[in-house]
Amino acid sequence: MTSPGLTPVLAEPAGTDPGPGGAEAPARGGPVPVAVLRGLAGLAGLVAVLEVLPHTGLVSSDYLPPASETVRTLGTLLAEPAFWTALGDTLTGWGLGLAVAVVAGVAAGVVIGSVPVLRAVTASTIEFLRPIPSVALIPVAVLLYGTDLRSKLLLVVYASFWQVIVQVLAGMQDVDPVAEDTARSYLLGTWGRVRHVLWPTALPYVMTGVRLAATVALILTITAELVIGAPGLGHEIAVAQVSGAVPEVYALVLVTGLLGVAVNLAARAVERRALHWHQSVRTEVTA
């Protein structure tokens, strides 16, 4: 798993939530956006294809069960305590790993970005470590911690950390020189410059890094459970695959997909909340 380069694209938050800061939000009772309707239509078309395809004989139902069978299997899984235990293990690894990566990435990025000499000294090290795929560390994780939670956290933190620190460094570098000169003219100290000048500029980049890290953390959590055998949804998928329970495999994969969508929506909601003052959010809400 690799991380984005040092020149990230700052994605503007999407959505139609009410905009704070005095911006007028769309009415809650208004028509459903066309984009949402198109998305639902595409999803319905995919479900229809997955339902019909196994019955045509083009694909054996032994390898691709109909969508209705997958949904029935998912309903059965939801009634089993083992499923919720596995889901809890996955969310625990994801949440802890993401939290550690965000705290470490923001702290390291602010410190390095605030000191030009330190940034120059660490640039080559970051460029060397950042492209290393996280899955390449699986043997190291197993040797150090076996198959418990610590192995999962090692992979998740390593993959997510680079998503955050790269964005933070880019944000720190994007500070307006005029604003910095103004801060110095007002004799602001290091903490004052960070709080009033550097951090507001870097925050949109930070939130983009957090959103990217949230998705990457989930991917690495499932991957660690699949490959290492750590408890969680990935481990349940591996067990179902070995035992030949094909509908259960697809049902669990569906759960991981829905979990990914939920994580992305939650991250975007937090992003919009944290950047309510930012021009991108205000422009989006008033559009």
Side-chain angles (χ1 to χ4, degrees):
M1 182 69 58
T2 58
S3 304
L6 286 176
T7 308
V9 177
L10 181 59
E12 294 186 358
T16 55
D17 289 357
E24 183 179 355
R28 291 183 179 272
V32 180
V34 176
V36 175
L37 294 177
R38 290 175 178 173
L40 292 176
L43 180 60
L46 176 62
V47 172
V49 170
L50 294 177
E51 177 66 29
V52 173
L53 194 59
H55 296 290
T56 62
L58 296 175
V59 179
S60 174
S61 59
D62 294 335
Y63 304 106
L64 180 63
S68 57
E69 185 177 353
T70 300
V71 172
R72 285 195 300 269
T73 303
L74 176 59
T76 302
L77 289 176
L78 294 178
E80 298 178 358
F83 167 80
W84 295 104
T85 301
L87 179 61
D89 291 333
T90 296
L91 291 177
T92 299
W94 169 78
L96 289 177
L98 178 62
V100 172
V102 169
V103 172
V106 171
V110 170
V111 171
I112 295 174
S114 301
V115 183
V117 175
L118 188 58
R119 182 181 180 111
V121 170
T122 58
S124 58
T125 303
I126 292 176
E127 286 301 317
F128 171 74
L129 295 176
R130 183 176 56 84
I132 297 177
S134 302
V135 292
L137 299 179
I138 288 179
V140 178
V142 173
L143 287 174
L144 291 176
Y145 304 117
T147 60
D148 62 8
L149 178 61
R150 291 175 296 178
S151 296
K152 191 189 307 185
L153 290 179
L154 175 62
L155 300 177
V156 172
V157 171
Y158 185 84
S160 304
F161 173 79
W162 302 113
Q163 308 290 335
V164 178
I165 190 173
V166 166
Q167 294 287 337
V168 174
L169 290 175
M172 300 291 283
Q173 198 173 22
D174 197 39
V175 175
D176 187 356
V178 175
E180 285 205 90
D181 292 339
T182 303
R184 291 191 183 94
S185 67
Y186 279 95
L187 302 179
L188 289 181
T190 302
W191 170 246
R193 288 177 53 244
V194 170
R195 179 182 178 184
H196 299 290
V197 179
L198 300 179
W199 182 248
T201 302
L203 185 57
Y205 291 86
V206 172
M207 296 311 302
T208 298
V210 171
R211 176 160 53 84
L212 295 173
T215 303
V216 170
L218 180 62
I219 294 173
L220 264 297
T221 300
I222 302 297
T223 301
E225 294 166 354
L226 271 168
V227 179
I228 297 177
L233 292 176
H235 177 64
E236 295 300 314
I237 293 174
V239 171
Q241 187 268 331
V242 171
S243 61
V246 178
E248 185 173 340
V249 171
Y250 281 95
L252 290 170
V253 170
L254 176 61
V255 171
T256 61
L258 294 175
L259 193 58
V261 172
V263 165
N264 186 60
L265 291 177
R268 286 185 177 276
V270 172
E271 187 177 29
R272 288 193 297 268
R273 189 76 172 179
L275 300 178
H276 61 86
W277 50 270
H278 197 261
Q279 181 181 1
S280 62
V281 175
R282 290 173 178 266
T283 302
E284 172 194 329
V285 170
T286 56

